[in-house]
Amino acid sequence: MTKQTAIVSGAGKGIGKAIAERLAADGFFVYIVDLDIEGELVAGQLGKDNATFYQADISDESQVLALFQAVLAQHRALDVLVNNAGIIRDHMIWNMTTADFDAVIRVNLKGAWLMCREAAKIMKTQQSGRIVNIASRAWLGNRGQTNYSASKAGLIGLTRSLALELGKYHVCVNAVAPGLIDTPLTQRLKPEILEQLLQAQPTKTIGAPEDVAHAVAFLASAKTNFITGQTIYVDGGKSIGAGI
Ligand code: NAP
């Protein structure tokens, strides 16, 4: 196998699917990791020389260890890890259960940390690699998302700290922070909420999953070897935060 290898979590649909498609088009062999069997369809469409599906829950340590063992059994190296899998359980804090908080932190933060740890062991040894964590503009603050916002703020802290640890091993670690993107996750929003969110961003448009994939492909490229610990917003300018 001469292709470079990438793992993309939550790649069965939405932003992760677009990232997997883009990395495959850029010449990577992509592990499409998802809870959902839909990932099998994505891998099938990309073809067996370009992608494979691996069903796993990234918040389960034993499943993450098995995933990395499977990748290493097939490939000489791991070039790119994209931590994209994420969930929401939105409520105002007075209506949010402890289970809502724990579920979001478990997948969005602990899951990404487990994946980073296993990738870091490999990339440190091989002295190369790229990790891209899909955070969210919501880390800056969103009503109804105390759990989600905290998980994504944690993911940005993880990104910055891991960039410090892996820099001297030629491994770059960055985050991409999307704003409102048209995926199955946001298609569940009530129309009036969606309209409010659209009006709050400078472009007044919703982003496409491919917009995020484009930024990830840039950070995953071997050419970006002097960019690390950064967060790139793909959010129609909402993170500017000034004016309407
Ligand atoms: P999505 O449409 O819900 O897709 C997420 C995928 O991840 C689903 O296939 C889901 O499987 C999978 N997944 C969830 N938990 C998992 C786990 N524990 N292990 C493995 N796979 C898991 O979400 P999206 O909108 O594409 O969002 C992707 C990422 O972008 C998330 O991290 C999200 O927080 C972030 N983001 C999204 C937006 C947006 O506007 N869409 C904005 C900012 C940030 P199931 O469907 O079976 O649960």
Side-chain angles (χ1 to χ4, degrees), residues 10 12-16 33-36 38 56-59 84-87 107-108 134-137 148 152 178-181 183-186 188:
K13 62 170 79 75
I15 293 170
V33 177
D34 207 290
L35 283 177
D36 212 316
E38 277 170 311
D57 176 349
I58 55 102
S59 68
N84 166 79
I87 61 169
V107 176
N108 297 8
I134 306 302
S136 170
R137 187 223 56 90
Y148 183 77
K152 296 299 189 178
L180 192 64
I181 308 292
T183 70
L185 186 139
T186 46
R188 294 197 292 268

Side-chain angles (χ1 to χ4, degrees), residues 19-239:
I19 293 168
E21 289 168 346
R22 174 60 192 265
L23 293 183
D26 287 355
F28 288 92
F29 184 86
V30 185
Y31 276 78
I32 291 170
V33 177
D34 207 290
L35 283 177
D36 212 316
I37 198 76
E38 277 170 311
E40 187 120 45
L41 285 176
V42 181
Q45 282 158 6
L46 292 174
K48 66 177 176 33
D49 294 335
N50 303 317
T52 192
F53 172 59
Y54 191 99
Q55 192 163 15
D57 176 349
I58 55 102
S59 68
D60 180 311
E61 183 167 15
S62 62
Q63 293 185 40
V64 170
L65 295 180
L67 161 66
F68 280 81
Q69 273 172 12
V71 173
L72 276 193
Q74 291 294 319
H75 301 271
R76 58 171 178 78
L78 173 64
D79 301 287
V80 172
L81 167 66
V82 183
N83 283 309
N84 166 79
I87 61 169
I88 53 172
R89 298 282 186 276
D90 296 354
H91 295 288
M92 292 301 191
I93 198 167
W94 46 90
N95 291 325
M96 190 178 284
T97 64
T98 308
D100 293 328
F101 181 82
D102 285 347
V104 168
I105 297 295
R106 180 180 164 89
V107 176
N108 297 8
L109 186 54
K110 181 188 168 199
W113 180 83
L114 286 170
M115 298 282 281
C116 280
R117 183 183 65 186
E118 296 315 305
K121 291 176 189 168
I122 299 168
M123 291 176 177
K124 175 176 178 282
T125 304
Q126 73 192 16
Q127 302 248 328
S128 68
R130 299 278 182 272
I131 297 175
V132 184
N133 292 322
I134 306 302
S136 170
R137 187 223 56 90
W139 87 277
L140 295 169
N142 248 7
R143 274 177 298 140
Q145 292 198 318
T146 50
N147 51 356
Y148 183 77
S149 177
S151 74
K152 296 299 189 178
L155 188 56
I156 287 176
L158 161 59
T159 302
R160 293 167 62 98
S161 297
L162 191 55
L164 289 173
E165 293 184 7
L166 288 175
K168 71 176 173 186
Y169 303 105
H170 314 292
V171 179
C172 295
V173 187
N174 291 289
V176 171
L180 192 64
I181 308 292
D182 188 13
T183 70
L185 186 139
T186 46
Q187 283 154 14
R188 294 197 292 268
L189 290 172
K190 288 181 185 154
E192 60 274 21
I193 301 281
L194 186 64
E195 189 52 34
Q196 272 178 25
L197 292 171
L198 283 176
Q199 288 312 316
Q201 48 194 55
T203 59
K204 313 290 182 205
T205 53
I206 191 163
E210 292 72 21
D211 293 324
V212 182
H214 190 55
V216 173
F218 170 69
L219 292 170
S221 130
K223 290 178 183 162
T224 53
N225 58 7
F226 206 50
I227 301 176
T228 195
Q230 304 306 305
T231 299
I232 295 185
Y233 290 90
V234 181
D235 69 345
K238 193 171 177 195
S239 53

